[in-house]
C-alpha cells in the first residue's frame, strides 16, 4: 500500500491526466429530478489501456461515485478495491487489485450529483410558465466543468464520441443535446430522450439543455437543419439570428473549404448564463439578449453585438470544435480566430457597416491589457487546468484576433485563406498547437511565419514605435510599451505599414531590429519632402496635405509615437479629413495611451482632442467619448476645481454631432448614425448637459406614462435613464422608483439589461449602496450582475468598495463562477486612482484571499497605481492644463 500511496500523490500533483488509459467513446445516461434539483447517471466509457496499470485516473468534481467496474475485451470484470475522490485535485483514482493489461475495455461508473446554482457544470435555472417559476437544467462545461456532470477525461486533447440519453424528463419540456434525437419513449407524464452518437469531440463541448421551448428553423442547401429555440411566445424574435447563422455557416464552409460536420445546429437561449454564449458542438447556448432580436427594445448596438456573437459561435465549429487546441495554453487558437473571423464574415454580409472599424474597439482592449506588467503572453503555460479561466480575457480574444489580422494584412488575404483551408484539412477532428498553424502558413505562403509570429505569441507585451524624420530619412525605434512607464529590452519582428501623404503611396516592411531607417524617396516622387526634417523653413514650405501615417488603418498590434513635427502634420490631416476613420481613431488612441504612460503632456492630449471637433465616423467619436470620460475622471482626482470646465469642453466637442443626430431616427439612416446617437446622448447626459437632461426628462415621462413610446426610441433610452438617475438622490428617489418599475414590468431582457446598466449611476452613494444590496434579491438574475457593476457611478466608488468588503462571503457564495467574479474586480476595484487605495485593497485581499481571481486582482492593482502616477504627472503641469482647459471650454 505504501507504493500505491506514493502513486496516488503523484497523480494529484500532475498538470495532466496520466496517458496510460485513453477514452474512445462515452455512452452517458443522465436521470434528472428537476423538482429536487438533483441528477444521477451511468456512464459507460470505451477505454484503450495503452500501458499496463493498476490505476485508472479521470476527472470528477462534486459527484458521488456509487459503483465502478471495468470489463476488458475478454469479458473479465474488475472491481476497484478503492475509489479515491479528491475534490481539490478534481480527480477520481480507481485503484485495482489486479493489473489492467494493454487492450480495450469498458469502464462503467454509476454516480449522482446536485444541479448547482453556480451557472457551471450541470446547473439549475428557472423559467416562467404562466406566472409560475419552474426549474430547468442547462450545462456550461468550458473550460473544465464537464467533470461536474459526469466522470470523464476532461481534457481537450482526449476526444471521443458521445451517445447521450436523458431520462425522467417531463413530457412537456424540450430536451436538447449536441446531436439530433434518435427516439423518444413516453412513460406517463415523463419521457426518455435518446440522441444519436456524436462525432469525436472534446468533453468541454458536450451539452444538454432541458426546458420549455418553441423554435423556428431553416435548412441549408447542404441539408443542415438550423433551429433557434426560444421561450414560448418569442420564436419570431429568433429570425434575425437564424438568418445570420444560415449565412455565416455557408460562408465558413466555403472559406475553410471544409463542410459543417453535423446534421443539425441548434441555438438556444438560456435564462441564466454566465458568459454571452458557448459554442457547444451542434448546440450553441446563449444569453437571451445575445440571441433574440426585439424590434421595440433592440438598439443598433444590440444588433451589431448579436451578429458578432452568432458569427463567433458558429465559427468555433471550425476553429475550436473541428480543430481543437491541444491544451489550454493554446486557447487563443479558439478564441482569437473565432473573434477575427466573426468580423471577416460580417464584413462580407454587411459591408455598409464598415465593421473592421468596429474591430478597433476589440484591439483597444487588447492593447490596454497588454500594456500592463501583469499581462501574460498569448500562449501562457497552464499548470492547473482551472486556472485557464483567468485567461479568457482580452489577451486570448482581442490581442489574439489582432495579431491574426496583422498577419493576414502582411501576407495577403488569398494566401491566408488558402493556408487556413490546408490547416483545417490536416487537423480536422484532431488537436493542434500554435506552431502547427505557423508551420502550415509557412509552407503555403513561403514566408517564415514561425520566426515572425513566435515572438508575438510567446512573449507578452508589444512595441511602441518612435518615428522621426531627418532630411529624407525616417528613423524608427521600437521599445516595449508599458503604461507604468517602465522599460524592458524586449523586441519584436513588426510587420510595418506606412502611408505618405496619400493612401496611394504605401509601403510594407518588417522592422526586425531595435532601430532601422527608411529613405522615403524609395516610395515617393514628391519633391516637397526633400530636406524636411527639423528645419523650420522647409517645414513651412511643405504642402499642407503632406503627412506620414505609420500603421495604416491600424492593422498592426503596436503603438506609434511621432516626433512633434510629424504629429503636427497628422493633426492638420485630421482637420482636413485626409485620413481614414481607422487612422483618426489610431492617432487619438495612441496619444491617449502615451499620455496615460506620462509620455505626452495632458495639455497636448486635450489640444489633440479639440482637433476632433467636427463630423466624425462612429468609431472615432466613440473613442473620443471614451477619452472624455477618462479625462474627466482623472482630473476629478488631480485638479478637482477644473472638472466643470473640462466637462464643458467635452460637451462642446460633442454638440455638433448631437445637433446633427437629434433624438429621433430618420428614415433609412445608417447603422453608424444610430450607434452614434446612443453614445453621444449618453455622454452628454453623463456630463450633465442641461438641455440633454431636460429633453431626456420630458421624453422619459411620456414613455413611462405610455403616451408615446416612439418619443424614446431604444437608441436613446440609456441616455434618458442616465439623466434621470443622475438627478436621483435620497431626497428625490422618484427616478430610481421609475426605473425599477420599468424593470419589473417590461418583460423584455434587452430593456431589463439597459435599465440595469444605468441603475447604479446616481451621484448619491446611498442610492448606489441600495442598488448593490438589491443585487442579492431574487429580482436580479445572477448572470445580470455584470450590467449593474459596470454602471457604478464615479461618486459611488467608495461605497461600492465598502459594500464589497462587508459582503465578501455572500458575494463568493452567490457569484462563485470565476467569470462573474472578475467583474467585481474590474468594476469595484480598478476605478480608484491612489496608491493608498491600492495598498488598502491589496491588504484586504491578502487577509481575505480569492485565489480564482488572483491574476485579475494584480492587474486591477496595477491599473490603480498607473492612474496614481498619472495624477502626479498631471499636477506637475497644472497651470498649463488650467490655461488650456479654460481656453477650450470657452471655444464654441
Amino acid at each position: 500500500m505504501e507504493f500505491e500511496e506514493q502513486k496516488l500523490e503523484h497523480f494529484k500533483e500532475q498538470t495532466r491526466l496520466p496517458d496510460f488509459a485513453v477514452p474512445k467513446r462515452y455512452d452517458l445516461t443522465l436521470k434528472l429530478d428537476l423538482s429536487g434539483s438533483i441528477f444521477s447517471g451511468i456512464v459507460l466509457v470505451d477505454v484503450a489501456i495503452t500501458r499496463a496499470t493498476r490505476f485508472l485516473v479521470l476527472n470528477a468534481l462534486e459527484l458521488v461515485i456509487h459503483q465502478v467496474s471495468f470489463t476488458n475485451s475478454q469479458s473479465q470484470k474488475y472491481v476497484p478495491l478503492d475509489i479515491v475522490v479528491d475534490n481539490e485535485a478534481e480527480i477520481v483514482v480507481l485503484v485495482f487489485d489486479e493489473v489492467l493489461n494493454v487492450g480495450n475495455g469498458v469502464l462503467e461508473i454509476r454516480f449522482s450529483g446536485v444541479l448547482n446554482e453556480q451557472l457551471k457544470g450541470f446547473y439549475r435555472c428557472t423559467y416562467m410558465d404562466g406566472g409560475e417559476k419552474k426549474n430547468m437544467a442547462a450545462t456550461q462545461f468550458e473550460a473544465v466543468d464537464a467533470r461536474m456532470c459526469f466522470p470523464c477525461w476532461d481534457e481537450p486533447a482526449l476526444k471521443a464520441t458521445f451517445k447521450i440519453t436523458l431520462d425522467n424528463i417531463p413530457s412537456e419540456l424540450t430536451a436538447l443535446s449536441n446531436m439530433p434525437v434518435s427516439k423518444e419513449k413516453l412513460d406517463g407524464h415523463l419521457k426518455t430522450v435518446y440522441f444519436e452518437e456524436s462525432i469525436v469531440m472534446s468533453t468541454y463541448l458536450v451539452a444538454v439543455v432541458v426546458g420549455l421551448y418553441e423554435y423556428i428553423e431553416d435548412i441549408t442547401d447542404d441539408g443542415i437543419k438550423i433551429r433557434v429555440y426560444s421561450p414560448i411566445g418569442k420564436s419570431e424574435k429568433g429570425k434575425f439570428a437564424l438568418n445570420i447563422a444560415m449565412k455565416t455557416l455557408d460562408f465558413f464552409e466555403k472559406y475553410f473549404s471544409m463542410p459543417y460536420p453535423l446534421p443539425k445546429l441548434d441555438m438556444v437561449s438560456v435564462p441564466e448564463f454566465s458568459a454571452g454564449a458557448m459554442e457547444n458542438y451542434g448546440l450553441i447556448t446563449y444569453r437571451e439578449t445575445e440571441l433574440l432580436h426585439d424590434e421595440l427594445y433592440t438598439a443598433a448596438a444590440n444588433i451589431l453585438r448579436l451578429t458578432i456573437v452568432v458569427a463567433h459561435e458558429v465559427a468555433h465549429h471550425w476553429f475550436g470544435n473541428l480543430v481543437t487546441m491541444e491544451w489550454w495554453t493554446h486557447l487563443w487558437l479558439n478564441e482569437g480566430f473565432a473573434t477575427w473571423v466573426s468580423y471577416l464574415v460580417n464584413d462580407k454580409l454587411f459591408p455598409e457597416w464598415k465593421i473592421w472599424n468596429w474591430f478597433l474597439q476589440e484591439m483597444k482592449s487588447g492593447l490596454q491589457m497588454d500594456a500592463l506588467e501583469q499581462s501574460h503572453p498569448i500562449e501562457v503555460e497552464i499548470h492547473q487546468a482551472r486556472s485557464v479561466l483567468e485567461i479568457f480575457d482580452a489577451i486570448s480574444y482581442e490581442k489574439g484576433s489582432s495579431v491574426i489580422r496583422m498577419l493576414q494584412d502582411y501576407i495577403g488575404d488569398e494566401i491566408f485563406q488558402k493556408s487556413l483551408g490546408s490547416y483545417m484539412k490536416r487537423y480536422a477532428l484532431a488537436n493542434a498547437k500554435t506552431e502547427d498553424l505557423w508551420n502550415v502558413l509557412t509552407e503555403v505562403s513561403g514566408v517564415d511565419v514561425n520566426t515572425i509570429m513566435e515572438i508575438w505569441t510567446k512573449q507578452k507585451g508589444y512595441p511602441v514605435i518612435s518615428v522621426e524624420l531627418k532630411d529624407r530619412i525616417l528613423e524608427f525605434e521600437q521599445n516595449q510599451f508599458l503604461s507604468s512607464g517602465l522599460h524592458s529590452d524586449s523586441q519584436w519582428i513588426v510587420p510595418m505599414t506606412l502611408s505618405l501623404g496619400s493612401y496611394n503611396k504605401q509601403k510594407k516592411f518588417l522592422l526586425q531590429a531595435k532601430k532601422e531607417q527608411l529613405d522615403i524617396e524609395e516610395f515617393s516622387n514628391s519633391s516637397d519632402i526633400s530636406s524636411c526634417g527639423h528645419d523650420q523653413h522647409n517645414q513651412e514650405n511643405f504642402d499642407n496635405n503632406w503627412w506620414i501615417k505609420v500603421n495604416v488603418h491600424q492593422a498592426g498590434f503596436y503603438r506609434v509615437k511621432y516626433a512633434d513635427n510629424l504629429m503636427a502634420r497628422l493633426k492638420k490631416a485630421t482637420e482636413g479629413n485626409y485620413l481614414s476613420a481607422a487612422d483618426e481613431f489610431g492617432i487619438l488612441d495612441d496619444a491617449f495611451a502615451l499620455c496615460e504612460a506620462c509620455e505626452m503632456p495632458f495639455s497636448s492630449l486635450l489640444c489633440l482632442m479639440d482637433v476632433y471637433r467636427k463630423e466624425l465616423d462612429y468609431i472615432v467619436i466613440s473613442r473620443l467619448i471614451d477619452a472624455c470620460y477618462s479625462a474627466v475622471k482623472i482630473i476629478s482626482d488631480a485638479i478637482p476645481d477644473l472638472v466643470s470646465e473640462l466637462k464643458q469642453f467635452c460637451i462642446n466637442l460633442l454638440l455638433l454631432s448631437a445637433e446633427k443626430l437629434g433624438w429621433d431616427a430618420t428614415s433609412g439612416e445608417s447603422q453608424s448614425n444610430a450607434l452614434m446617437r446612443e453614445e453621444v446622448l449618453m455622454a452628454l447626459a453623463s456630463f450633465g448637459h442641461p438641455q440633454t437632461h431636460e429633453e431626456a426628462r420630458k421624453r422619459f415621462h411620456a414613455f413611462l406614462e405610455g403616451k408615446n413610446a416612439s418619443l424614446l426610441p431604444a437608441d436613446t433610452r440609456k441616455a434618458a435613464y442616465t439623466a434621470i438617475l443622475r438627478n436621483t438622490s435620497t431626497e428625490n428617489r422618484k427616478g430610481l422608483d421609475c426605473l425599477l418599475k420599468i424593470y419589473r414590468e417590461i418583460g423584455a431582457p434587452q430593456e431589463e439589461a439597459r435599465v440595469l446598466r444605468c441603475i447604479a449611476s446616481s451621484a448619491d452613494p446611498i442610492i448606489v449602496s441600495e442598488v448593490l444590496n438589491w443585487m442579492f434579491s431574487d429580482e436580479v438574475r445572477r448572470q445580470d450582475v455584470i450590467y449593474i457593476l459596470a454602471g457604478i457611478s464615479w461618486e459611488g466608488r467608495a461605497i461600492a468598495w465598502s459594500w464589497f468588503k462587508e459582503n465578501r462571503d455572500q458575494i463568493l457564495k452567490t457569484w462563485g463562477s470565476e467569470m462573474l467574479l472578475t467583474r467585481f474586480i474590474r468594476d469595484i476595484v480598478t476605478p480608484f486612482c491612489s496608491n493608498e487605495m491600492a495598498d488598502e485593497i491589496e491588504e484586504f485581499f491578502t487577509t481575505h484571499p480569492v485565489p480564482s481571481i488572483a491574476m485579475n486582482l494584480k492587474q486591477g492593482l496595477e491599473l490603480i497605481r498607473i492612474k496614481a502616477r498619472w495624477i502626479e504627472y498631471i499636477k506637475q503641469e497644472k497651470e498649463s492644463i488650467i490655461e488650456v482647459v479654460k481656453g477650450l471650454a470657452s471655444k464654441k
Side-chain angles (χ1 to χ4, degrees), residues 62 89 320 345 351 442 797 844:
E62 296 179 8
V345 63
T442 298
R797 287 179 299 170
F844 176 81

Side-chain angles (χ1 to χ4, degrees), residues 32 53 190 206 209 251 281 298 313 445 480 510 543 661 685 701 703 705 710 805 816-817 841 887 892:
L32 277 68
T53 179
L190 298 173
V206 176
V209 176
F251 174 86
Y281 229 153
T298 303
E313 304 308 326
S445 69
Q480 182 176 1
L510 287 178
D543 182 277
L661 295 165
H701 287 297
F703 171 71
E705 294 162 12
S710 65
K805 290 187 291 184
S817 175
I841 292 163
K892 298 298 182 184

Side-chain angles (χ1 to χ4, degrees), residues 500-518:
L500 179 63
S502 163
Y503 289 114
N504 294 323
K505 297 176 182 176
Q506 290 193 31
K507 184 173 180 64
K508 292 184 179 183
F509 65 98
L510 287 178
L511 179 64
Q512 302 190 62
K514 183 175 178 63
K515 294 183 179 182
E516 290 191 23
Q517 295 182 339
L518 178 70

Side-chain angles (χ1 to χ4, degrees), residues 224-281:
I224 297 160
K225 190 176 291 184
I226 303 180
R227 289 179 174 177
V228 174
Y229 285 85
S230 59
I232 301 300
K234 294 186 177 182
S235 60
E236 290 300 300
K237 295 177 174 59
K239 281 186 174 180
F240 185 77
L242 179 62
N243 182 48
I244 297 297
M246 287 283 291
K247 291 178 177 178
T248 53
L249 191 140
D250 178 65
F251 174 86
F252 293 139
E253 285 191 318
K254 293 171 182 172
Y255 187 83
F256 294 123
S257 302
M258 181 69 67
Y260 177 79
L262 302 182
K264 63 94 171 175
L265 174 62
D266 293 333
M267 303 196 297
V268 57
S269 64
V270 178
E272 294 181 73
F273 197 70
S274 62
M278 174 61 207
E279 69 271 17
N280 313 296
Y281 229 153

